[in-house]
Amino acid sequence: VGFSKSGTVVNAKIQVYLLERSRVVHQNAGECNYHVFYMLCKGAPEEWRKRLEIDPSQRFGFLNHDEHQPETKDGDQIDCKSELVALMERMQQLHFSKEDVEGVFETVGAVAHLGNIEFKATDKSARNQEQKFMDTIELRDRRCLQVVCRLLGLDEENFEKALLYRKIAVGTESHFTPLKLEDALTIRDACAKFLYG
């Protein structure tokens, strides 16, 4: 983005094309996710890493960790730290407030942590009204859910319920039915795509 001396936008040039939302949750071999995830993981200042609970060596389920890192169109590796600094400078030039910048990166961090929310079958079974046993699932580890909820300002109990149960409204009553593993993963991935979009 080019600016005049008074700070107004005078021109713009696209250097990196946006990718489809599905890439947020899945990449093919040899591909990488959106660059901002790698910039945040590898280039974030210590203060941000602590607040977002991101460690440079941490593995995230939505990032392809086959040693493939973002590259320029010429095939050169991107310096995530300097690119993050440049991105933040551009956000300042566009008059993003400090709170807006923090909100953007808290959302990106939350999306990264969403990919680490995993589910497992419970030891107990739930019975429906016909006394048939139903497989139920639960979170494998609550820690990622807690981080996501803290970063997004969500209520943990309600978000967990949204990930594990389908709400069925019948007349004026609502019932909650446990989701199957595949459905819970689909809901988790849809949340990530929605947040990133």
Side-chain angles (χ1 to χ4, degrees):
V1 177
F3 296 91
S4 69
K5 290 181 181 178
S6 66
T8 59
V9 176
V10 293
N11 63 28
K13 178 181 174 187
I14 297 175
Q15 293 179 329
V16 179
Y17 298 97
L18 292 179
L19 306 173
E20 67 280 358
R21 278 191 203 176
S22 63
R23 181 157 296 181
V24 171
V25 298
H26 174 77
Q27 305 88 48
N28 293 321
E31 293 181 335
C32 63
N33 206 319
Y34 288 99
H35 295 178
V36 71
F37 290 106
Y38 300 94
M39 287 187 241
L40 193 59
C41 290
K42 302 221 179 268
E46 185 64 28
E47 172 193 340
W48 284 22
R49 281 195 213 132
K50 285 181 182 174
R51 187 170 72 235
L52 303 177
E53 298 190 39
I54 290 177
D55 183 290
S57 64
Q58 188 172 0
R59 297 180 67 83
F60 288 100
F62 288 156
L63 302 185
N64 199 340
H65 291 279
D66 62 357
E67 299 306 316
H68 181 81
Q69 294 300 310
E71 298 176 348
T72 65
K73 62 183 176 182
D74 300 323
D76 299 325
Q77 291 256 324
I78 289 178
D79 177 356
C80 292
K81 190 171 189 171
S82 64
E83 285 296 314
L84 182 63
V85 169
L87 176 60
M88 291 168 51
E89 287 172 357
R90 289 181 198 112
M91 292 172 94
Q92 285 178 341
Q93 290 172 340
L94 293 170
H95 304 289
F96 278 64
S97 69
K98 180 182 178 198
E99 293 78 21
D100 288 341
V101 171
E102 289 174 355
V104 166
F105 288 107
E106 285 172 348
T107 302
V108 171
V111 170
H113 283 287
L114 258 173
N116 286 356
I117 292 179
E118 296 179 333
F119 307 95
K120 66 178 182 175
T122 59
D123 293 334
K124 50 193 177 286
S125 295
R127 289 182 186 232
N128 65 14
Q129 290 180 342
E130 291 86 32
Q131 299 301 309
K132 294 179 184 173
F133 286 99
M134 298 174 60
D135 292 331
T136 59
I137 58 169
E138 63 187 5
L139 296 173
R140 187 174 299 281
D141 180 1
R142 297 190 56 78
R143 185 69 194 128
C144 290
L145 176 86
Q146 292 166 342
V147 173
V148 168
C149 289
R150 181 181 57 76
L151 292 173
L152 297 176
L154 300 176
D155 177 79
E156 276 181 48
E157 186 177 325
N158 287 336
F159 190 55
E160 180 178 10
K161 197 176 215 180
L163 291 173
L164 298 176
Y165 297 92
R166 175 177 289 117
K167 182 178 180 180
I168 300 172
V170 180
T172 58
E173 295 182 19
S174 295
H175 301 277
F176 290 91
T177 305
L179 291 171
K180 294 179 182 175
L181 177 62
E182 305 81 41
D183 296 331
L185 291 170
T186 299
I187 299 272
R188 179 203 64 185
D189 292 356
C191 287
K193 290 187 242 182
F194 176 79
L195 283 169
Y196 194 80

